[in-house]
Amino acid sequence: MDAQRWRRARELFDELVDTPQAGWNARVAEACADDPLVRDEVLAMLRADQATGQQEIFDASLPAAVVELAGRLAGVKAADAEAGHEGRSVGPFRLVREIGRGGMGAVWLAERADGAFEQRVAVKLIRSGWDVDEVLARFRAERQILAGLQHPNIAHLVDGGITADGKPWLALEYIDGEDLRAWCDSRRLDLAARLQLFLTVCDAVAHAHQRLVVHRDLKPSNILVGNDGVVKLLDFGIAKLLDGTDAGISSTRMFTPEYAAPEQVRGELLTTAVDIHALGLLLYELLCGRRPFEADHPTPAAYERAVLDREPTRPSLALARGDDAGAAIAACRDLAPARLRRELRGDLDAIVLKALRKEPGQRYASVQAFADDVRRHLARQPVLARRGSWRYRSARFLRRHALAATLAGVAVFALCAGLGAALWQARVANVQRDSARAALAFMRSLFDNADPAHRKGDQLSARDLLDAGVRTMRTALPGEDAARGELLLTMASAYLGLEQLDAAAPLIEEVRASAEARADRAQLAAAMIQQCRLRDLGNHPDDCPPLLDHAESLLDPREPEQARLVAYSLALRVYGLQLANRYEAVVESMRRGLALLGDRREDRYLRVELASHLAFALNRLGRPAEAERVLAPWLAELRHDDDTERVLLVDTLGTLSSSLSALGRHDEAIAMQREAIEIAEKLYGRDDPTVAESYNTLARTLNGAGRIDEAVAAMEHAVELDRRNEAGGRNPELASALCNLAVLLVKQEHYADALARLDEAVELAREAEFDADLGRSLWWRAVVHLVAGRTADARADGERMADVLAPSHAAGDDAMLRGRALAFAAALIEQGPAAATAPACADAGAIAEAFMRTPQAAGADARFAAYLAMLCTQHAPPVDPAPPLAVHYARIVARIRDAWAAAR
């Protein structure tokens, strides 16, 4: 009976099993008028069920069942009700504790008690109340099976016998370990190591098959790896002997639905193919961390239907793109999700699917053949599973979809009629060919302009090349507005990369107008996204969100190219979200962006950028371990991929080093950042601004490790590199680097040197109109003034900082909170207790509470704010807060304490 007929029979049986027998024939005849085979099967099942209910065995076991049920209702497990089990003697062993429970009984950890030698074993005991003939027969069969199996990877039989009350027991080798799947994941084993362990399991199963034993219940929980790393196969409790010696045992179907083969579900004759199917399921989980049949409602019936009716998902397709759980699964295999999918695609897909075929005869002929194919894959040899796979899939399809196959024959005829349409498509292709040739001619003209022979030896800059391209574009691609728009946007993006805003603006506007006229929604959205970049670089970031909202509303994320634009739009939102302290929103947006992107190589840079933004936000939220999990797979892929753009590795190393530093793994973080510097210097040259940025990150990492002198040296080198790249005094990177150097000097208490660097940073940031760096430099300069007792200067810098940052920063942003706290501290130094007015104290309390809601609630800023709020409730001269604050805050606290004491 095939799967569809069996499901039909099963559903009809479930419908009628609890109804009166008198109505069976009429209902079955009505439902199965077209299929006598299903009708006979349903009636046979119904009669068998009725006969089972009348067997004496049921009557004999009913009292025991009632006793056990009563014990459960009273809240006492049957195992607990059996007095004396813990510490009870069984043969030469003493029971220590229960370590497992199954359908027939319990498994106990036991120790040898006869004093002959020390030994720990696992003792199996039949559960009370169910020692009926069938269960006893199964128990004796397991003992006989284990006695005949001698293999280093099968838990062997140690002893056996009968207890004083007549129950049989088995003493088995005790394995102190964890199941194979968990063992591999906890050690992040790669695919090759997992396959080697799987081959060990195959050898053990093959040994059993050679002795005519079918396990019938292979699953991860029955395969343990001990602390010594040795794999052991357990639990032959429902194993079957193929030579007929278990004929006295009833044919009751016993299996785990999630790991059952189709023939087990259908109740057919079982062969070694059952274990081959189970090994296929095990290999599937080892490779991709999921099951091939994911049921919406994980009930035994749902799993049975899935096993019978559904084809398994290919392992390489089981990990959905952008799936967070999939990323964690790939990380357990020391791979990125995309790399894992590539490794599984092909041989491993074919091997697993061959083992999981519905018909036993279509699977591997033996476990040894299965293992040999895995070995061929490891040896990079052709695997047998990929032979004949097309014929198998075709036969399965035709059997399941006979009607659809007939209709497909009709479709072939229709396809022939469609040849005329193909001719029309050829004409369209010719038009596209002409367009491509025109685009190629345009690109050739650009390279001709770059040729020194045409330039008479003059050097051609990137700006010169772009300008020449724009001039050529005025007459290029006539009538090809869409292709022309793509090229114009590419050149506009390049201009923005060079910060040539005036040159980019008209190109973007031209593309936007053309796209609107042609109702080209995707290109219009792309133009608006570039306009956002333009406005952001022009120091008008508030214009960005409306443009991005409109752009995203025009795009269909189901289209790969448009999904990429949506992801790029999400990346452009990050800076504004960070300014508003909305790091949870950053996490959500970046996860959405990663989910939208596919595995295409051209999207790699954007995917790494999104992952880096995600990791940065997680660090700010105090979740550095999660940030590491996001980036570690990328680092593994980028290091192993010789063809990758090295710039991706530089960025990933820098961001991941920050995560490791936050986790306290400072030596790893420092080594990682030095690696990033080495790669950047080889890639860009030793004087490039990118190298300066890497030194900046190294200084921050060294500072986090408490190696302040090394941090200062690294930061001074970054400042020197930024000075070399200064152009006309407008270099915000130099302003940022000077401020960072000043922060380190403040920590060394070199306040005069710090003040000099801050003065220069303030002036540079003001000229560059870079408000974020200007506000930060003003705040640190206010700190230095306050430490020196120059409260008027500190108050002036604090007020100026608030004016600069207020348009772009929320009131609850860290920077704004620090500015308000510093203003209150200046007032306390000037006025002592008189400054602690009711409004001032209310604001101090609000600042302290706001800091407690930020990810930096345990940092020096938050503790300083809490100290200032505490002064409002204290009438005695204040003491130093504990634990000690950062050095600059400690100096300010000392001045506040002196001012407070003097005023009293």
Side-chain angles (χ1 to χ4, degrees):
M1 180 176 291
D2 60 29
Q4 291 183 355
R5 280 175 160 175
W6 169 253
R7 181 176 61 182
R8 188 177 176 188
R10 175 68 178 270
E11 291 173 350
L12 194 53
F13 169 80
D14 290 341
E15 175 189 337
L16 296 176
V17 68
D18 293 324
T19 63
Q21 182 179 0
W24 288 355
N25 288 331
R27 176 71 182 101
V28 172
E30 176 190 358
C32 305
D34 61 334
D35 198 331
L37 180 62
V38 174
R39 179 195 62 204
D40 294 343
E41 179 70 16
V42 173
L43 290 173
M45 290 166 64
L46 289 168
R47 295 188 189 105
D49 179 78
Q50 185 183 53
T52 301
Q54 296 171 353
Q55 288 178 356
E56 293 181 0
I57 187 174
F58 182 79
D59 297 333
S61 63
L62 182 60
V66 172
V67 170
E68 182 182 3
L69 179 60
R72 290 182 180 276
L73 291 174
V76 181
K77 292 184 179 179
D80 297 335
E82 295 174 354
H85 270 33
E86 187 171 339
R88 175 184 177 182
S89 293
V90 176
F93 303 102
R94 181 178 63 254
L95 302 183
V96 177
R97 69 175 187 276
E98 185 178 319
I99 56 177
R101 180 167 289 272
M104 289 194 300
V107 182
W108 287 75
L109 172 64
E111 297 176 339
R112 197 169 190 93
D114 60 2
F117 51 88
E118 292 185 0
Q119 186 180 28
R120 304 176 81 191
V121 296
V123 171
K124 295 185 71 171
L125 291 173
I126 286 183
R127 188 174 56 188
S128 296
W130 291 97
D131 48 345
V132 294
D133 292 342
E134 180 179 346
V135 178
L136 289 171
R138 290 191 179 281
F139 211 76
R140 288 191 293 269
E142 180 180 2
R143 182 171 59 190
Q144 185 60 45
I145 287 169
L146 288 171
L149 297 178
Q150 299 296 324
H151 190 277
N153 299 112
I154 296 178
H156 60 269
L157 178 67
V158 176
D159 202 348
I162 305 294
T163 63
D165 55 356
K167 294 185 178 66
W169 59 271
L170 299 178
L172 309 172
E173 178 184 4
Y174 172 63
I175 311 299
D176 184 10
E178 56 186 328
D179 75 63
L180 178 62
R181 182 180 52 191
W183 195 85
C184 291
D185 287 350
S186 63
R187 287 156 181 80
R188 297 170 65 102
L189 296 189
D190 60 19
L191 295 184
R194 289 167 185 261
L195 290 173
Q196 291 293 350
L197 287 171
F198 176 75
L199 290 174
T200 303
V201 177
C202 288
D203 289 341
V205 177
H207 174 82
H209 287 184
Q210 289 167 4
R211 283 148 185 80
L212 303 179
V213 176
V214 183
H215 191 287
R216 296 202 293 173
D217 196 27
L218 289 170
K219 54 188 176 183
S221 61
N222 283 339
I223 304 169
L224 298 186
V225 184
N227 294 329
D228 55 0
V230 177
V231 177
K232 293 285 186 177
L233 186 58
L234 312 178
D235 198 358
F236 280 80
I238 65 170
K240 181 179 179 63
L241 291 174
L242 297 178
D243 63 359
T245 57
D246 62 348
I249 303 174
S250 83
S251 59
T252 303
R253 295 190 302 155
M254 300 178 68
F255 54 81
T256 304
E258 300 95 304
Y259 297 94
E263 58 268 33
Q264 283 179 289
V265 176
R266 292 192 293 262
E268 298 173 354
L269 178 67
L270 303 184
T271 66
T272 56
V274 170
D275 285 349
I276 292 171
H277 188 277
L279 287 171
L281 292 170
L282 173 66
L283 181 57
Y284 195 105
E285 291 192 56
L286 285 177
L287 294 176
C288 65
R290 288 185 172 158
R291 292 175 181 165
F293 308 110
E294 295 288 350
D296 296 333
H297 303 288
T299 63
Y303 281 119
E304 289 187 17
R305 286 195 296 272
V307 168
L308 291 173
D309 298 340
R310 290 168 50 190
E311 291 294 338
T313 304
R314 288 179 177 274
S316 61
L317 299 179
L319 301 179
R321 296 188 180 104
D323 184 353
D324 292 340
I329 289 170
C332 287
R333 288 144 182 81
D334 199 26
L335 292 170
R339 184 66 176 270
L340 176 58
R341 286 192 288 269
R342 289 199 300 272
E343 293 288 338
L344 297 178
R345 192 178 301 128
D347 283 359
L348 292 176
D349 273 345
I351 290 171
V352 172
L353 294 181
K354 182 175 178 64
L356 295 180
R357 288 178 178 176
K358 303 295 184 188
E359 295 85 353
Q362 291 285 354
R363 299 175 202 149
Y364 286 100
S366 66
V367 174
Q368 191 60 50
F370 190 177
D372 287 344
D373 233 9
V374 173
R375 292 188 179 96
R376 290 187 190 94
H377 168 74
L378 289 172
R380 300 183 182 278
Q381 297 174 349
V383 299
L384 299 182
R386 302 188 77 169
R387 297 181 185 175
S389 59
W390 179 86
R391 290 193 301 274
Y392 169 75
R393 289 196 299 271
S394 299
R396 289 292 304 169
F397 180 85
L398 291 173
R399 288 177 60 183
R400 288 197 310 272
H401 307 289
L403 177 60
T406 303
L407 295 176
V410 178
V412 171
F413 176 80
L415 182 62
C416 295
L419 287 176
L423 296 175
W424 176 80
Q425 291 287 348
R427 188 174 65 84
V428 174
N430 288 335
V431 173
Q432 293 176 342
R433 178 200 62 198
D434 294 340
S435 175
R437 286 177 174 174
L440 182 61
F442 167 72
M443 296 303 297
R444 186 183 298 115
S445 71
L446 291 185
F447 287 110
D448 285 342
N449 288 331
D451 188 344
H454 296 169
R455 302 281 301 177
K456 295 183 171 59
D458 294 340
Q459 292 292 328
L460 187 67
S461 67
R463 173 63 192 266
D464 294 334
L465 186 61
L466 287 170
D467 290 344
V470 171
R471 289 191 297 270
T472 305
M473 183 57 67
R474 296 306 173 195
T475 56
L477 299 173
E480 297 294 335
D481 292 340
R484 190 165 178 273
E486 291 293 331
L487 288 173
L488 284 173
L489 280 181
T490 300
M491 288 189 288
S493 180
Y495 274 127
L496 293 176
L498 296 172
E499 297 190 13
Q500 303 294 325
L501 309 188
D502 293 340
L507 301 184
I508 298 172
E509 190 56 46
E510 181 178 341
V511 176
R512 179 169 179 172
S514 173
E516 286 178 336
R518 292 180 285 108
D520 188 336
R521 295 166 61 92
Q523 194 165 93
L524 176 58
M528 297 178 77
I529 289 172
Q530 292 300 328
Q531 278 190 322
C532 163
R533 285 186 65 199
L534 177 70
R535 303 300 294 165
D536 191 36
L537 291 170
N539 210 21
H540 298 286
D542 292 342
D543 296 345
C544 242
L547 286 167
L548 296 178
D549 290 341
H550 191 184
E552 288 186 34
S553 71
L554 297 172
L555 295 169
D556 182 359
R558 293 171 297 182
E559 295 291 332
E561 289 298 332
Q562 296 186 41
R564 185 181 189 281
L565 286 173
V566 174
Y568 185 39
S569 170
L570 292 170
L572 292 177
R573 295 178 185 270
V574 167
Y575 184 64
L577 293 172
Q578 289 175 349
L579 288 180
N581 249 8
R582 297 177 57 194
Y583 292 104
E584 289 287 3
V586 174
V587 170
E588 181 182 351
S589 296
M590 296 307 97
R591 291 198 191 281
R592 180 187 168 213
L594 288 168
L596 288 170
L597 293 176
D599 295 335
R600 299 182 307 173
R601 186 174 185 82
E602 55 265 34
D603 292 335
R604 174 176 289 184
Y605 193 98
L606 182 54
R607 297 201 323 266
V608 175
E609 182 181 359
L610 293 172
S612 296
H613 288 320
L614 172 58
F616 178 83
L618 290 170
N619 279 333
R620 295 288 292 178
L621 291 169
R623 292 149 61 182
E626 199 173 339
E628 182 191 9
R629 288 195 295 272
V630 169
L631 285 180
W634 279 110
L635 183 61
E637 178 174 342
L638 295 174
R639 275 177 166 162
H640 288 95
D641 191 344
D642 295 335
D643 299 329
T644 188
E645 299 177 37
R646 305 298 285 176
V647 64
L648 300 177
L649 183 55
V650 173
D651 294 342
T652 305
L653 285 166
T655 308
L656 186 55
S657 71
S658 298
S659 301
L660 296 179
S661 182
L663 288 168
R665 292 155 59 184
H666 300 296
D667 290 342
E668 291 179 66
I670 292 168
M672 194 169 286
Q673 190 52 37
R674 291 194 187 281
E675 180 186 354
I677 290 174
E678 181 180 354
I679 295 171
E681 287 180 339
K682 290 179 180 177
L683 186 62
Y684 302 110
R686 302 179 69 90
D687 295 339
D688 192 84
T690 304
V691 178
E693 183 179 345
S694 295
Y695 270 101
N696 198 327
T697 306
L698 174 61
R700 184 172 63 249
T701 307
L702 289 165
N703 177 48
R707 294 158 62 171
I708 188 69
D709 293 339
E710 293 177 69
V712 169
M715 201 64 242
E716 287 177 338
H717 188 66
V719 168
E720 178 59 29
L721 290 177
D722 280 328
R723 287 196 192 280
R724 296 176 195 172
N725 290 285
E726 188 176 8
R730 294 176 58 85
N731 189 348
E733 286 78 14
L734 177 57
S736 176
L738 285 166
C739 184
N740 290 342
L741 177 58
V743 171
L744 296 174
L745 293 171
V746 166
K747 292 187 176 184
Q748 288 183 316
E749 301 187 61
H750 298 164
Y751 293 107
D753 290 342
L755 186 60
R757 301 306 195 285
L758 288 168
D759 287 342
E760 186 179 0
V762 166
E763 187 60 24
L764 285 171
R766 183 192 63 78
E767 292 179 358
E769 299 180 354
F770 205 77
D771 292 343
D773 275 332
L774 177 57
R776 181 166 174 264
S777 300
L778 286 167
W779 186 83
W780 277 104
R781 194 167 72 175
V783 168
V784 174
H785 284 319
L786 211 55
V787 168
R790 297 188 291 269
T791 54
D793 291 336
R795 189 167 54 251
D797 277 346
E799 292 172 354
R800 186 178 171 193
M801 182 204 81
D803 291 339
V804 168
L805 296 184
S808 57
H809 287 61
D813 183 80
D814 293 356
M816 303 300 288
L817 293 175
R818 283 194 294 267
R820 288 159 60 191
L822 208 63
F824 186 40
L828 289 170
I829 292 173
E830 285 185 327
Q831 305 171 36
T837 64
C841 287
D843 189 52
I847 294 169
E849 290 180 7
F851 263 121
M852 292 304 296
R853 293 192 295 269
T854 68
Q856 293 77 38
D861 293 325
R863 286 186 283 120
F864 180 63
Y867 174 76
L868 296 179
M870 177 268 294
L871 292 180
C872 291
T873 62
Q874 181 175 300
H875 302 292
V879 296
D880 287 338
L885 295 176
V887 60
H888 51 280
Y889 280 141
R891 288 291 186 91
I892 295 172
V893 166
R895 288 197 173 276
I896 294 173
R897 187 179 60 247
D898 293 343
W900 193 288
R904 297 180 66 87

